[in-house]
Amino acid sequence: MTASNVYPTADLRALDTAHYMHPFTDFKGLAKEGSRIMVKGEGVWLTDSDGKRYLDGMAGLWCTNVGHGRREITRAVAEQMDELAYYNSFFKTSNAPAIRLAEKLAEITPDHVNRVFFCGSGSEANDTVFRMVRYYWSLLGKPSKKVFISRKNGYHGSTVAAASLGGMTPMHGQGDLPIPGITHIAQPYWYGEGGDMSPDEFGIWAARELEREIERLGEANVAAFIAEPIQGAGGVIIPPDTYWPEIRRICDAHEILLVVDEVICGFGRTGSWFGADTYGVKADLQPIAKGLTSGYLPMGGVLVSDKVAAVVIDQGEEFFHGYTYSGHPTCAAAALANLAIIEKEGLVARVRDDIGPYLKERWSKLGDHPLVGEARMKGLVGALELTPSKPARREKFADEGKVGTIARDLSFKNGLIMRAVRDSLILSPPLTLTHEEADELVRLAAKTLDDTHAALKREGLI
Ligand SMILES: *Cc1c(COP(=O)(O)O)cnc(C)c1O
């Protein structure tokens, strides 16, 4: 019997408020409203402690790529725990699941990537990147190359280095971030910031911000550029097609490393194994997490290219960096079972050729709704930009974020989990979504838009 079956919801809520400090949460607001307590997951469906069912349009938190309740993973985890639940990878020791997972990752990554450094999360992966990149340049006798160029409104995690690499100003405001040695350039957010340029023109302009920043800082001081293929937490910002090829050109023309944060885009989300594959770019380092285990257990890592490995391994001494849970055998077993499902069910190709285009076609039609300024999607990640009036991009809602929150709450009420970013709704469902479930998802999203429209009229917001 699970705890949620033992205690009534009201008791759980009271205990939750009294003792549990939630991540990214306004504590007082939550205490007033009480949390929604999830008790069960099966496929793309979740059930809360009141018995209400939801279509999980966010795949947990961008991670449950194979859907909830997969016995293949829970069985693999139980078997591994019975055998060897934990051992570390320090001091010349290793374990079979971590070794096999490292080999599997080398197989599914492009030819120039053959190694992985394991850690416990996406944030730790980016802290690892931060240390490994600086170590790389000092080994090459270029210790002045220290600065990371990142992007405004990017997300790379919540630890000190990861939050600093990220470009979230509310996060920076709490605790004097970013730490020194990190600068942020414009994001390729055409809908919000493209002005009068066409998407293609704007993509080139935004990419060239990187070149201008390298020139401003001096190439001898720049270590790396880090970016998500598609910004997730920033609002599912799908860059114009011109953006990534220009970024890769700029990185090739200058002596800097390219770090592609695959924490969301990895493991099929965009219709390739990795976001870098979708955009045809060759990354030097790729942080991974989330879809690596589909969130069944926490695990992250950094995929390391041969170019970086050749320096860090061949020219380095001991790399004084690692985590107690690096290469955790049980987490690795979960990852292996998860990747086996993705392969067996052909989920990567399914996103590219089947469910991705199927959902995108229907999602795009939501763009005709009077409240929607843009309905974008790539692979199985998308957004609806809400607008007070059309033609879109001209006006924004006053009090940014208020309308998004209203829409998000109505979506939950309608039984579809979407998340709000500013005044947009974002979507990232499990890759196992069936056609019928996609139809239901779009029906619930359309109903949410109608309900939001009515609510805004009632409150005089449009
Ligand atoms: C979620 C996320 C992270 C941080 O991962 P955690 O496991 O929450 O530490 C890093 N980068 C991106 C792109 C993410 O979406």
Side-chain angles (χ1 to χ4, degrees):
M1 202 184 280
T2 59
S4 52
N5 294 332
V6 177
Y7 298 103
T9 300
D11 292 3
L12 282 172
R13 285 209 177 112
L15 293 170
D16 186 55
T17 303
H19 303 297
Y20 185 7
M21 292 179 78
H22 292 225
F24 279 96
T25 295
D26 163 15
F27 301 120
K28 285 201 283 291
L30 182 69
K32 214 160 64 196
E33 290 173 34
S35 50
R36 189 177 290 108
I37 297 163
M38 295 300 183
V39 297
K40 174 99 186 144
E42 199 67 45
V44 303
W45 299 97
L46 290 165
T47 311
D48 73 13
S49 57
D50 294 328
K52 183 174 167 62
R53 255 161 64 92
Y54 305 86
L55 203 168
D56 184 6
M58 283 305 296
L61 206 48
W62 322 88
C63 54
T64 316
N65 288 12
V66 299
H68 298 277
R70 301 299 301 250
R71 303 295 180 270
E72 302 94 313
I73 301 179
T74 56
R75 267 199 302 272
V77 164
E79 278 168 21
Q80 184 56 44
M81 290 192 103
D82 286 343
E83 201 67 33
L84 175 70
Y86 170 74
Y87 199 71
N88 66 71
S89 294
F90 290 43
F91 322 127
K92 301 184 199 169
T93 59
S94 196
N95 66 79
I99 295 167
R100 285 174 46 225
L101 178 58
E103 184 212 9
K104 186 80 216 168
L105 290 168
E107 184 195 315
I108 63 175
T109 46
D111 290 346
H112 73 287
V113 181
N114 290 292
R115 286 184 174 77
V116 60
F117 190 102
F118 287 123
C119 53
S121 68
S123 299
E124 287 179 10
N126 281 311
D127 274 54
T128 300
V129 161
F130 192 81
R131 298 200 61 205
M132 194 183 285
V133 165
R134 287 189 169 178
Y135 181 47
Y136 169 89
W137 288 117
S138 65
L139 283 171
L140 284 176
K142 297 181 178 176
S144 73
K145 288 178 83 64
K146 283 210 168 33
V147 180
F148 283 78
I149 301 174
S150 180
R151 300 185 303 192
K152 293 172 186 157
N153 197 39
Y155 187 77
H156 298 294
S158 235
T159 51
V160 171
S164 296
L165 289 169
M168 301 281 173
T169 40
M171 291 177 78
H172 292 169
Q174 296 171 338
D176 297 316
L177 301 180
I179 53 174
I182 298 172
T183 67
H184 298 85
I185 60 170
Q187 55 180 332
Y189 180 29
W190 177 78
Y191 182 87
E193 299 171 3
D196 293 331
M197 281 184 255
S198 72
D200 281 354
E201 283 166 355
F202 178 70
I204 296 282
W205 176 87
R208 293 205 179 141
E209 283 292 276
L210 173 61
E211 198 152 48
R212 289 185 277 274
E213 186 69 355
I214 295 169
E215 276 157 26
R216 192 182 71 80
L217 294 162
E219 191 174 324
N221 300 313
V222 179
F225 174 61
I226 179 167
E228 302 154 80
I230 293 170
Q231 285 153 266
V236 183
I237 291 164
I238 301 169
D241 289 340
T242 51
Y243 183 76
W244 274 107
E246 184 66 4
I247 289 286
R248 183 65 258 186
R249 181 196 69 73
I250 292 165
C251 291
D252 287 341
H254 299 83
E255 196 186 32
I256 70 166
L257 294 177
L258 175 58
V259 183
V260 179
D261 185 335
E262 301 278 4
V263 173
I264 286 175
C265 292
F267 308 102
R269 176 61 55 197
T270 66
S272 311
W273 272 110
F274 296 96
D277 306 338
T278 294
Y279 285 107
V281 291
K282 205 170 150 186
D284 297 308
L285 292 165
Q286 287 159 287
I288 54 173
K290 296 194 170 115
L292 170 62
T293 60
S294 278
Y296 279 65
L297 285 173
M299 188 177 211
V302 179
L303 302 173
V304 179
S305 66
D306 294 343
K307 173 177 150 184
V308 173
V311 175
V312 170
I313 295 175
D314 300 346
Q315 302 185 34
E317 298 168 357
E318 178 174 347
F319 183 35
F320 298 111
H321 178 79
Y323 305 97
T324 302
Y325 303 128
S326 285
H328 193 297
T330 302
C331 299
L336 281 166
N338 173 58
L339 296 181
I341 293 173
I342 295 177
E343 285 199 315
K344 188 165 146 251
E345 298 182 3
L347 295 182
V348 178
R350 186 168 184 273
V351 171
R352 188 188 60 225
D353 302 329
D354 176 36
I355 189 65
Y358 184 88
L359 183 61
K360 183 177 178 170
E361 194 193 327
R362 286 151 184 80
W363 186 254
S364 301
K365 292 203 180 103
L366 296 174
D368 298 336
H369 194 279
L371 207 54
V372 177
E374 183 178 78
R376 54 178 180 264
M377 182 163 281
K378 181 116 183 163
L380 272 192
V381 62
L384 298 172
E385 293 274 1
L386 305 182
T387 181
S389 65
K390 290 188 172 181
R393 295 177 75 226
R394 203 183 46 195
E395 269 182 74
K396 286 186 180 173
F397 291 105
D399 195 5
E400 189 177 73
K402 186 173 174 183
V403 170
T405 305
I406 291 171
R408 192 265 324 271
D409 290 349
L410 286 167
S411 188
F412 265 89
K413 193 163 164 240
N414 286 330
L416 169 62
I417 298 180
M418 294 194 281
R419 192 169 141 188
V421 178
R422 298 177 300 275
D423 291 319
S424 66
L425 290 170
I426 59 175
L427 186 81
S428 172
L431 313 185
T432 50
L433 187 79
T434 64
H435 287 203
E436 294 70 35
E437 288 162 346
D439 293 345
E440 178 66 359
L441 188 161
V442 172
R443 189 184 71 77
L444 293 173
K447 175 164 174 12
T448 296
L449 291 169
D450 288 344
D451 293 354
T452 304
H453 200 246
L456 297 185
K457 276 205 162 137
R458 235 177 6 248
E459 295 181 29
L461 291 166
I462 46 171

